[in-house]
């Protein structure tokens, strides 16, 4: 935030599961590239996770695990601002202030909320809001504040989150229309990182790797666990001696992504010629993944250990974040006439 005034980019990560290879390739690596061009902020959206997670230990675990994952993947806490959403007490306060300026109809039209109602309708429920808590309903409101309180210029998100960033822009506009002569919120824009084929990683069944398909490979699986998991990947039953189509098998596609180029080329040729079995490809894939991720896994495990520097890093990040959020909230409080 120095005088060169680089644009601010904000990435929010919801801690609702164990990170897998698809997250790493599709979300983590592209997001970490922003550091060179933007003043980059990353935060763990644990207040958002609270809309669905009811188990306190699990929520804590996911929060630490996601933080450790991003650090192990190369997030540099000295070059970025990296914090936990719930450490920033200004966020819920600004959420209240801005909800008072936001039409309820806007939230009624939010995709996630509408989808929940559609599910209830399809299930023949009389109450279309059944199972919808106020946190879920207000989800876009809280997300708008995450963005606005940091003065973010750009918010890199997947397509499903674009509407939420547009809401943040609308809400900032509503605030500015009323109080703009005293204080103005910055209007953010969504950016969708390149979704080229380079970003789509197949899961163990060949479909896109995704938690909802149950076809993921956890990022920090132990070598033994990895070996076992990869051995179980289904392959066709073409006999060993016969030629095989490399591109028909998820194991090979994954090997193409993580293996050394010469190993990949040789394996392709041997599969097509016949005489090579899938078991050997699986062993190659295990070795390739292990070579690439063992160092990250070590760093991850060190960070996850009780008493590691993880908690200090997050606390330090929160201090840094509050240098932005405190003065901004003060100006908002003054503008609207509270406090
Ligand atoms: N809703 C986002 C998701 O599910 C996470 C998130 C919360 C977020 N607050 C944010 C993303 C602010 C970007 C900016 O992925």
């Amino acid at each position: 935030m120095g005088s060169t005034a680089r644009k601010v980019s904000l990435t929010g990560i919801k801690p609702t599961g164990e990170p897998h290879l698809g997250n790493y390739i599709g979300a983590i690596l592209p997001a970490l590239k922003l550091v060179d061009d933007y003043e980059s902020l990353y935060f763990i959206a644990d207040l958002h996770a609270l809309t669905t997670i009811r188990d306190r230990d699990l929520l804590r675990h996911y929060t630490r695990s996601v933080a450790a994952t991003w650090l192990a993947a190369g997030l540099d806490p000295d070059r970025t601002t990296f914090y936990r959403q719930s450490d920033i007490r200004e966020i819920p306060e600004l959420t209240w202030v801005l909800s008072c300026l936001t039409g309820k109809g806007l939230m009624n039209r939010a995709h996630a909320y509408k989808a929940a109602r559609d599910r209830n309708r399809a299930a023949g429920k009389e109450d279309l809001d059944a199972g919808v808590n106020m946190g879920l309903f207000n989800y876009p409101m809280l997300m708008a504040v995450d963005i606005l309180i940091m003065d973010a210029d750009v918010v890199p998100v997947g397509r499903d989150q674009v509407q939420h960033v547009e809401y943040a822009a609308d809400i900032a506009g509503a605030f500015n229309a009323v109080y703009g002569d005293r204080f103005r919120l910055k209007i953010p824009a969504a950016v969708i990182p390149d979704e080229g084929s380079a970003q789509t990683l197949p899961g163990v069944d060949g479909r896109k790797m995704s938690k909802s398909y149950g076809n993921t490979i956890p990022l920090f699986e132990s070598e033994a666990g990895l070996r076992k998991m990869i051995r179980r990947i289904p392959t066709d039953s073409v006999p060993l001696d016969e030629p095989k189509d490399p591109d028909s098998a998820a194991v090979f596609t994954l090997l193409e992504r993580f293996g050394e180029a010469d190993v990949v080329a040789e394996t392709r040729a041997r599969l097509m010629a016949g005489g090579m079995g899938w078991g050997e490809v699986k062993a190659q894939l295990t070795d390739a993944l292990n070579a690439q991720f063992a160092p990250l896994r070590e760093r991850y495990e060190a960070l996850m250990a009780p008493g590691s520097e993880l908690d200090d890093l997050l606390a330090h990040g929160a201090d840094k974040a509050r240098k932005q959020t405190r003065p901004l909230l003060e100006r908002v409080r003054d503008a609207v006439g509270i406090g």
Side-chain angles (χ1 to χ4, degrees):
M1 277 158 241
S3 53
T4 49
R6 285 203 301 169
K7 292 210 169 201
V8 176
S9 157
L10 176 80
T11 299
I13 312 137
K14 196 159 61 154
T16 47
E18 301 290 352
H20 56 74
L21 280 179
N23 299 138
Y24 179 74
I25 298 290
I28 300 180
L29 286 186
L32 290 178
K33 283 209 201 102
L34 296 165
V35 175
D36 295 326
D37 298 321
Y38 293 93
E39 174 79 43
S40 300
L41 292 85
Y42 302 87
F43 72 97
I44 316 294
D46 56 345
L47 295 177
H48 278 109
L50 195 53
T51 64
T52 53
I53 301 183
R54 294 289 171 267
D55 177 329
R56 71 184 293 279
D57 296 327
L58 189 65
L59 180 53
R60 273 191 202 291
H61 169 75
Y62 283 155
T63 300
R64 294 188 87 238
S65 161
V66 167
T69 299
W70 282 68
L71 290 164
L75 187 148
D76 179 349
D78 295 326
R79 288 180 70 205
T80 59
T81 305
F82 183 50
Y83 57 98
R84 180 166 52 195
Q85 182 187 31
S86 61
D87 283 338
I88 312 301
R89 306 293 176 107
E90 290 76 19
I91 290 174
E93 184 171 340
L94 185 60
T95 301
W96 176 257
V97 173
L98 294 185
S99 1
C100 297
L101 291 161
T102 304
K104 174 174 173 289
L106 193 69
M107 297 301 122
N108 288 342
R109 291 188 291 277
H111 296 322
Y113 172 60
K114 275 180 27 188
R117 286 175 62 92
D118 288 346
R119 277 193 299 274
N120 281 334
R121 195 177 290 112
K125 295 213 175 120
E126 203 176 310
D127 177 8
L128 296 186
D129 283 333
V132 175
N133 61 59
M134 283 302 294
L136 177 68
F137 186 67
N138 279 328
Y139 188 108
M141 196 68 237
L142 179 62
M143 180 160 160
V145 170
D146 293 331
I147 296 167
L148 299 176
I149 204 166
M150 290 301 175
D151 261 350
D153 294 282
V154 298
V155 186
V157 284
R159 289 192 186 281
D160 62 320
Q161 298 292 314
V162 170
Q163 184 195 38
H164 291 155
V165 183
E166 290 167 356
Y167 275 22
D170 286 354
I171 292 166
F175 178 89
N176 293 346
V178 181
Y179 301 108
D181 52 338
R182 290 196 176 272
F183 182 62
R184 299 186 75 80
L185 293 169
K186 195 188 274 176
I187 310 286
V191 295
I192 303 174
D194 180 22
E195 274 180 308
S197 57
Q199 249 78 19
T200 319
L201 190 74
V204 296
D205 60 358
R207 292 187 292 173
K208 179 183 169 173
M209 190 180 287
S210 159
K211 203 176 109 182
S212 44
Y213 293 151
N215 64 358
T216 63
I217 299 176
L219 194 48
F220 299 120
E221 188 60 56
S222 69
E223 180 170 2
L226 212 50
R227 201 165 291 283
K228 209 161 125 194
M229 182 171 290
I230 290 171
R231 217 183 283 129
R232 276 199 241 112
I233 297 180
T235 43
D236 63 33
S237 47
V238 177
L240 186 99
D241 292 342
E242 282 173 33
K244 298 174 189 59
D245 174 11
D247 299 307
S248 69
V251 262
F252 183 78
T253 315
L254 286 163
L255 182 69
E256 267 187 318
R257 298 299 294 274
F258 296 102
E260 303 283 352
D262 52 341
V263 174
V264 174
E266 198 196 314
T267 299
R268 172 182 285 281
R270 286 182 57 209
L271 282 167
M272 287 167 60
M276 184 182 198
W278 293 118
E280 197 182 336
V281 185
K282 290 178 174 183
Q284 289 176 330
L285 175 61
T286 307
D287 293 344
L289 288 174
N290 202 53
Q292 184 166 347
F293 292 108
L296 274 71
R297 185 164 69 221
E298 261 172 48
R299 172 91 179 115
Y300 170 84
E301 272 158 16
L303 285 162
M304 287 301 279
S308 78
E309 73 262 40
L310 182 66
D311 298 301
D312 283 348
L313 284 174
L314 287 173
H316 178 72
D319 285 341
K320 227 158 132 183
R322 281 191 287 262
K323 294 209 168 60
Q324 159 65 27
T325 60
R326 282 211 172 121
L328 185 140
L329 184 68
E330 276 318 308
R331 300 207 51 186
V332 168
R333 286 166 61 100
D334 174 65
V336 305
I338 59 172

